[in-house]
Amino acid sequence: MGENGVKDLTIIGGGPTGLFGLFYAGVRHLDTQLVEAMDEIGGALQALYAEKYVYDMAGFPAILAKDLVAAMYEQADQWQYPIHLSQKILDFEAQDGIYVLRSQSGEEFKSKTVLIANGNGAFAPRKLRLEGVEPFEDTQIFYTVKNMDLFRDKRVLVIGGGDSALDWALALEKEAKMVTLIHRLPVWQAHEATVRQLIMSEVDVHFPRHEANQLHVNNGTLTGVTIINLQSKETFDLEVDIILICIGFLMDTTVIRKWGVELEGKKGIKVDPATMETSRPGVYAAGDISAYEGKINLIACGASEAAMAVNQAVRYINPDARLAPGHSSDMDIFTKRDK
């Protein structure tokens, strides 16, 4: 650790981008710490999509999100850099060339540079506006799948028309007794290939303009739901054991606005795409939280942006340092080293 506990780099966010940033910081010999608001690493990938397959990460034709998180953690942990969980950063300020980050518990984290990699900030699932939903949340009504066993041999209703809704419907088709999907909009919001796969599947699809109208409850148990066609106003009853709601998330950037970095509307933190630097010198952003023209929100892109940011942090701390470490094929920088 540096003088007076000052690190070279503090990474805010323990999702895939933050974890790769932590690994790459070790490659560049930056004394680094990672701060995560939740009580586990992995970010939204672990908290919301642990049982979902990831198809767009380099090197993996398909990998469960939780397994990808585990692999990225193993990669990052070889340097044994400290990871601070349950520490939500509320604000940070510059003091004599050092950034001081303060968490909700009163902890202070000091470093010469900062990498913001906390996804889209705080997030919460968009709730279904239907009377009687709350009592069944986390028992028969869910907003994500953390345990596939809960859905096995059950009659499942999936609500939504985006990638998450369709992906879960297709995944649950193999486990559930029956899967029904409804979508209230006139167009799909998912990838075209996924839509084609859904149409060819045995999922019972009601699209467009269908939504849940009323829950059926018997002796405190959710037993079914009334579905309404918003165009014809016709309704039908559907027996269900579980409802999976995938209608998006509400992003909260309130805290980020207090960090003194310039935002790009509602897209995220404005960065220079060549350096990933924000409006504050020595403060970088990578992953879904960063915003620039041509931005693509992929895990693989987040990892690349994290590496770019770390290299720039090295140069920020030492202007004479090489911008890039070299090639992994002709040096041992990417292998474990003794601490």
Side-chain angles (χ1 to χ4, degrees):
M1 182 179 292
E3 185 178 354
N4 297 323
V6 177
K7 296 285 189 178
D8 292 324
L9 172 66
T10 295
I11 299 174
I12 303 176
T17 298
L19 287 173
F20 191 78
L22 189 64
F23 159 70
Y24 200 83
V27 172
R28 295 309 314 267
H29 301 276
L30 288 181
D31 189 14
T32 304
Q33 61 189 348
L34 185 147
V35 183
E36 166 58 48
M38 295 192 291
D39 60 1
E40 61 179 352
I41 55 121
L45 204 63
Q46 179 68 32
L48 304 175
Y49 308 117
E51 294 286 346
K52 184 177 177 181
Y53 277 97
V54 175
Y55 300 99
D56 53 10
M57 184 61 178
F60 298 99
I63 183 172
L64 282 175
K66 63 181 181 182
D67 293 338
L68 178 59
V69 169
M72 298 190 79
Y73 171 73
E74 181 181 1
Q75 182 186 41
D77 192 50
Q78 62 185 297
W79 315 131
Q80 294 293 295
Y81 286 150
I83 295 177
H84 306 276
L85 300 176
S86 302
Q87 295 292 339
K88 180 180 180 180
I89 299 301
L90 299 182
D91 65 81
F92 65 84
E93 62 178 338
Q95 295 181 357
D96 299 324
I98 300 299
Y99 284 108
V100 180
L101 291 69
R102 299 184 181 87
S103 73
Q104 87 290 347
S105 65
E107 294 288 327
E108 289 190 349
F109 305 93
K110 301 177 181 180
S111 64
K112 301 172 185 177
T113 61
V114 177
L115 171 57
I116 303 172
N118 61 337
N120 278 303
F123 56 86
R126 190 183 300 275
K127 300 298 184 71
L128 184 67
R129 295 182 180 179
L130 186 64
E131 183 178 357
V133 166
E134 290 80 4
F136 299 103
E137 291 180 339
D138 297 325
T139 56
Q140 288 184 272
I141 295 179
F142 299 89
Y143 294 92
T144 188
V145 178
K146 291 187 176 181
N147 184 355
M148 290 288 280
D149 290 338
L150 295 176
F151 295 78
R152 187 162 289 119
D153 298 324
K154 296 294 196 303
R155 298 166 298 183
V156 180
L157 170 64
V158 179
I159 300 177
D163 285 309
S164 291
L166 273 63
D167 286 346
W168 282 128
L170 291 168
L172 291 169
E173 180 190 12
K174 305 170 185 176
E175 305 290 340
K177 181 178 181 180
M178 179 178 180
V179 178
T180 303
L181 182 142
I182 62 174
H183 184 36
R184 71 182 305 273
L185 296 181
V187 294
W188 294 109
Q189 298 162 299
H191 193 281
E192 292 179 3
T194 308
V195 174
R196 289 195 296 269
Q197 189 177 357
L198 178 73
I199 294 173
M200 296 174 61
S201 73
E202 295 185 4
V203 175
D204 183 23
V205 179
H206 295 272
F207 164 84
R209 297 297 192 183
H210 283 74
E211 71 175 12
N213 182 255
Q214 182 180 2
L215 299 182
H216 303 167
V217 180
N218 185 11
N219 294 325
T221 300
L222 176 64
T223 60
V225 60
T226 297
I227 307 297
I228 183 171
N229 183 321
L230 297 174
Q231 293 176 317
S232 67
K233 305 303 179 183
E234 295 178 349
T235 64
F236 66 92
D237 294 335
L238 180 70
E239 293 182 345
V240 300
D241 302 304
I242 293 179
I243 299 177
L244 178 62
I245 302 170
C246 303
I247 55 177
F249 292 87
L250 299 172
M251 304 303 173
D252 183 5
T253 58
T254 303
V255 173
I256 296 176
R257 293 179 183 277
K258 298 179 181 179
W259 293 354
V261 291
E262 183 180 353
L263 300 184
E264 186 69 56
K266 297 182 179 180
K267 297 179 181 179
I269 299 174
K270 184 177 181 179
V271 299
D272 180 342
T275 63
M276 306 311 296
E277 191 171 34
T278 71
S279 58
R280 301 188 73 172
V283 178
Y284 308 88
D288 288 355
I289 195 63
S290 65
Y292 54 88
E293 186 176 355
K295 169 77 177 181
I296 299 176
N297 286 333
L298 291 178
I299 297 173
C301 294
S304 173
E305 293 170 356
M308 292 170 61
V310 168
N311 284 329
Q312 293 295 331
V314 171
R315 181 69 68 83
Y316 180 85
I317 294 171
N318 179 10
D320 294 328
R322 294 177 60 182
L323 181 60
H327 300 288
S328 59
S329 59
D330 57 15
M331 59 195 338
D332 61 0
I333 59 170
F334 291 93
T335 58
K336 184 175 180 179
R337 65 175 186 267
D338 292 331
K339 293 289 290 180

